[in-house]
């Protein structure tokens, strides 16, 4: 995606809370069940907490029981980038914001079979919900 947002470490630290910085810029993970993991029927869009890019629709959120917000797909294919992540002695697929490279979470092939079969397991601190969008 063109128009990549790049900021210095100091700029990100000034903009984000310590937990948002740890998760989005240092590829951390928030504790399970610590953030917004509840499924609701309110219409809205989840945006990247770092750059404001639209990432996920609330209507695509589902209860996975894992303790993190789970979606069956991003808002648009171009909204996120996916990379192999071999950390923690396992191979996973990392999901990052395509606009600013913020770490969002990981995608797994154990989502709802009636839709995409995917589970985008996303840290709630990396998201900013805009109801009614």
């Amino acid at each position: 995606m063109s128009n990549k947002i790049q900021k210095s470490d100091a700029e990100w630290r000034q903009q984000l809370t310590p937990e948002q910085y740890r998760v989005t810029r240092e590829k951390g993970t928030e504790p399970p069940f610590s953030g917004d993991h509840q499924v609701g029927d309110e219409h809205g869009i989840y945006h990247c907490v770092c750059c404001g890019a639209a990432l996920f629709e609330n209507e695509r959120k589902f209860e996975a029981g894992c303790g993190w917000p789970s979606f069956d797909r991003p808002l648009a294919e171009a909204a996120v980038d996916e990379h192999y992540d071999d950390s923690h002695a396992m191979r996973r697929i990392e999901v990052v914001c395509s606009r600013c490279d913020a770490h969002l979470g990981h995608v797994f092939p154990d989502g709802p079979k009636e839709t995409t079969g995917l589970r985008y397991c996303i840290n709630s601190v990396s998201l900013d919900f805009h109801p009614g969008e």
Side-chain angles (χ1 to χ4, degrees):
M1 174 182 232
S2 60
N3 300 330
K4 277 275 194 192
I5 293 179
Q6 297 180 350
K7 295 184 180 185
S8 70
D9 225 27
E11 289 173 307
W12 286 124
R13 285 184 187 277
Q14 184 176 13
Q15 174 187 330
L16 302 169
T17 69
E19 180 69 352
Q20 288 169 334
Y21 180 86
R22 185 183 70 77
V23 170
T24 62
R25 309 320 306 176
E26 297 180 328
K27 300 182 184 296
T29 301
E30 67 189 355
F33 301 103
S34 65
D36 172 24
H37 63 278
Q38 300 300 316
V39 174
D41 58 5
E42 183 175 14
H43 180 71
I45 304 291
Y46 288 90
H47 292 255
C48 176
V49 75
C50 293
C51 72
L55 299 174
F56 297 95
E57 280 183 288
N58 194 45
E59 288 85 345
R60 306 311 313 176
K61 192 175 187 184
F62 66 94
E63 181 54 59
C66 63
W68 293 276
S70 296
F71 303 87
D72 70 351
R73 70 190 75 171
L75 181 65
E77 195 172 308
V80 299
D81 290 330
E82 299 175 7
H83 309 282
Y84 283 115
D85 174 5
D86 292 320
S87 64
H88 305 289
M90 62 182 116
R91 175 161 265 202
R92 300 177 291 175
I93 299 175
E94 177 189 18
V95 179
V96 300
C97 173
S98 64
R99 191 167 174 214
C100 71
D101 294 325
H103 172 76
L104 304 172
H106 293 88
V107 61
F108 301 98
D110 60 0
K113 299 296 182 216
E114 62 276 5
T115 60
T116 63
L118 299 174
R119 174 174 55 98
Y120 285 80
C121 184
I122 306 298
N123 290 287
S124 63
V125 298
S126 69
L127 302 174
D128 183 25
F129 184 60
H130 294 206
E133 265 191 14

